[in-house]
Amino acid sequence: MSGLRRAAARAWGPPRALRAFSARPRDRETLTGKYGEDSKLIYDLKDQGGELLSLRYDLTVPFARYLAMNKITNIKRYHIAKVYRRDNPVMTRGRYREFYQCDFDIAGQCDPMIPDAECLKIIHEILSALQLGNFLIKVNDRRILSGVFAACGVPESKLQAACSTVDKLNKMTWEDVKNEMVGEKGLTPEAADLIGEYVKLHGGLDLVEQLLQDPRLSHNKLAGEGLRDMKLLFEYLMLFGIVDKISFDLSLARGLNYYTGVIYEAVLIQQQNDRVEELVDVGSVAGGGRYDGLVGMFDSKRQKVPCVGVSIGIERIFSIVNCKVKASKEKIRTTETQVLVAAPQKHFLAARLKLISELWDAGIKAEMLYRENPKLLKQLHYCEDTGIPLAAIIGEQELKDGVVKLRDVATRQEVDIPRQKLLEEIRRRLES
């Protein structure tokens, strides 16, 4: 995952030591209250004393509690750790009950949309570096959604239920979503039809400008705030040069209730019959948003710390990469080893140990087979199977001549290098 590491190291610094924990009783109430319909996926446990606990569902709520407990009001960090979902696992879609996530978060008072734009830039940088294929980052704002629902006649008590239903549009048809809104959530058919007019919209800055002039939304304070911030966000994304990968999509809702502002989700897309379609086999590969009220729920004085972040689905990305590798039949290098120290004859363990020690001392990543007298063919096959680019072969003739035979594993070309020039030649080849 070098793409993740490079993106993190570029500006985010080393990972902070955040303690992995199961949720405490008060945390559990926060979990079930802020995960919406996804709260049914939380693993509930009892410890030996009968205390009800919950396994970590994501890295955001633990991060918020960490900030509150340590009175931290300004931090920028990334964190890679396991989370747990009581879900039906589907291995081919990267859906597991225990899996890794990589989160990037910015906490602290900032001017609008500057850190939010950086999070989107991070998603773009990672997905581009990993070369997963064409992708699209959908963006929306919870305030815009709330304003749309209010303008369509949805009572405040049913806003969250309506939001959770709209979040299913990537898996269900609009008719099915409408039926759930009316039949299960208690919305009127007229309100559902009006919502449908909005959630089918997607575009860019032009759509933001259009909605700013919308007669229904112009009188809603929340929608106005969200749209003005969305316009500002697009201006920053244009400066970052990534706006071509961004879509303002009013169907994006994200089911987690702790989001308070901008939300986003990255999906892979494919071209089929002149139409761009979302790859739904693994769902979204990244998502996140702004959660300004979450830290205050853990603080005794209810002090708010504005936060925005993104979560990268590592296991889903691995599933995609694995499928691409199988389809291409490409050999993947499974080690960072640069040189394998080999011998063509028996009784050359001492010579191999001495040579590998010289390479280690020079900072060259080298290894050898842990056999006293391995066959040369087996050693060379090991290089080819694991992707080691060079083999340093030392035998009776090489010792006598004061050279080491350096083999390019890919081309199978061999050349004798004087022992005193070996390190220089290895470095030259590795650099080229």
Side-chain angles (χ1 to χ4, degrees):
M1 298 301 292
S2 57
L4 286 176
R5 297 291 185 188
R6 283 198 303 272
R10 175 181 62 81
W12 297 69
R16 299 288 181 125
L18 300 186
R19 181 169 57 93
F21 61 93
S22 299
R24 296 174 179 176
R26 188 177 70 170
D27 297 343
R28 186 178 175 277
E29 294 171 11
T30 303
L31 289 173
T32 54
K34 288 297 179 183
Y35 285 134
E37 292 191 5
D38 282 351
S39 61
K40 63 181 180 291
L41 301 179
I42 297 172
Y43 267 112
D44 291 332
L45 306 170
K46 279 187 179 180
D47 67 6
Q48 289 86 339
E51 186 178 20
L52 186 61
L53 304 171
S54 297
L55 286 179
R56 180 170 56 195
Y57 179 89
D58 67 7
L59 303 181
T60 306
V61 171
F63 174 61
R65 192 181 83 171
Y66 172 80
L67 297 185
M69 288 174 62
N70 293 278
K71 307 300 179 187
I72 296 172
T73 58
N74 198 311
I75 188 176
K76 190 178 184 182
R77 65 100 206 205
Y78 74 94
H79 184 196
I80 301 176
K82 283 185 179 180
V83 295
Y84 305 87
R85 306 277 168 90
R86 193 163 56 86
D87 203 353
N88 294 321
V90 184
M91 303 303 181
T92 56
R93 296 179 60 188
R95 188 181 294 276
Y96 307 97
R97 290 181 173 177
E98 176 186 16
F99 56 94
Y100 281 96
Q101 282 188 337
C102 174
D103 278 23
F104 301 82
D105 293 273
I106 303 173
Q109 294 288 345
C110 305
D111 286 340
M113 297 297 106
I114 298 175
D116 310 66
E118 183 172 351
C119 286
L120 290 167
K121 173 67 173 173
I122 286 289
I123 298 175
H124 184 278
E125 187 174 330
I126 289 171
L127 296 183
S128 298
L130 293 176
Q131 299 179 348
L132 300 176
N134 202 10
F135 63 90
L136 186 69
I137 305 173
K138 302 177 183 180
V139 298
N140 199 1
D141 195 298
R142 276 298 182 90
R143 294 167 297 175
I144 297 174
L145 270 181
S146 296
V148 167
F149 293 149
C152 293
V154 178
E156 190 173 347
S157 60
K158 296 181 179 178
L159 284 179
Q160 189 52 52
C163 191
S164 297
T165 305
V166 167
D167 193 47
K168 299 176 183 178
L169 268 173
N170 63 332
K171 303 171 185 173
M172 298 164 54
T173 65
W174 165 247
E175 286 304 316
D176 290 335
V177 168
K178 178 184 174 181
N179 291 338
E180 183 175 315
M181 282 183 171
V182 176
E184 298 179 27
K185 308 300 183 183
L187 272 63
T188 65
E190 294 77 16
D193 285 335
L194 284 175
I195 291 171
E197 293 179 17
Y198 286 100
V199 298
K200 294 175 185 177
L201 298 174
H202 56 87
L205 187 56
D206 55 341
L207 178 57
V208 180
E209 299 281 10
Q210 175 188 325
L211 293 177
L212 280 167
Q213 305 302 319
D214 187 282
R216 290 197 195 101
L217 301 182
S218 60
H219 300 296
N220 186 279
K221 182 182 177 183
L222 274 180
E225 289 176 358
L227 286 168
R228 285 188 292 273
D229 278 352
M230 186 63 67
K231 181 179 179 181
L232 187 61
L233 178 65
F234 266 87
E235 291 174 1
Y236 294 153
L237 297 177
M238 281 190 278
L239 293 173
F240 279 147
I242 63 171
V243 75
D244 61 315
K245 293 291 188 180
I246 308 294
S247 172
F248 175 33
D249 192 327
L250 268 75
S251 70
L252 179 64
R254 293 196 62 79
L256 302 177
N257 295 355
Y258 51 64
Y259 290 123
T260 57
V262 66
I263 51 177
Y264 32 81
E265 191 169 276
V267 296
L268 300 185
I269 56 177
Q270 61 182 347
Q271 193 82 20
Q272 283 191 352
N273 302 325
D274 298 324
R275 290 179 296 131
V276 172
E277 296 186 354
E278 183 177 332
L279 278 171
V280 295
D281 288 341
V282 296
S284 64
V285 292
R290 177 160 287 280
Y291 52 101
D292 289 347
L294 192 56
V295 176
M297 299 189 69
F298 296 101
D299 188 83
S300 57
K301 297 180 180 178
R302 297 299 186 200
Q303 180 184 1
K304 289 187 176 181
V305 178
C307 298
V308 65
V310 60
S311 179
I312 310 294
I314 297 177
E315 309 283 0
R316 290 188 174 186
I317 288 174
F318 279 166
S319 295
I320 296 164
V321 171
N322 192 42
C323 289
K324 287 171 70 74
V325 169
K326 285 182 178 178
S328 67
K329 297 181 180 179
E330 177 188 357
K331 276 195 174 183
I332 295 297
R333 186 173 174 183
T334 58
T335 177
E336 291 188 353
T337 301
Q338 299 165 319
V339 181
L340 181 84
V341 176
Q345 297 117 6
K346 293 182 178 180
H347 312 304
F348 274 83
L349 176 60
R352 285 190 291 143
L353 289 172
K354 186 175 180 181
L355 179 55
I356 200 170
S357 180
E358 291 177 14
L359 298 180
W360 287 340
D361 290 343
I364 293 171
K365 297 173 183 176
E367 66 174 291
M368 65 182 201
L369 298 192
Y370 298 124
R371 296 286 184 183
E372 189 173 354
N373 297 306
K375 292 183 178 179
L376 180 60
L377 191 59
K378 184 176 181 180
Q379 296 171 84
L380 298 179
H381 279 168
Y382 178 76
C383 287
E384 293 177 355
D385 292 341
T386 57
I388 299 173
L390 298 173
I393 303 170
I394 185 164
E396 184 177 355
Q397 190 61 46
E398 286 77 22
L399 279 178
K400 187 182 297 183
D401 296 340
V403 300
V404 173
K405 195 178 295 296
L406 195 60
R407 179 185 176 95
D408 185 310
V409 175
T411 64
R412 299 186 178 182
Q413 292 182 343
E414 297 178 348
V415 60
D416 289 341
I417 306 295
R419 186 71 172 254
Q420 65 270 21
K421 294 184 178 181
L422 179 64
L423 299 178
E424 179 185 344
E425 178 64 18
I426 289 175
R427 289 196 183 99
R428 186 189 68 78
R429 294 195 179 206
L430 293 175
E431 287 172 3
S432 63

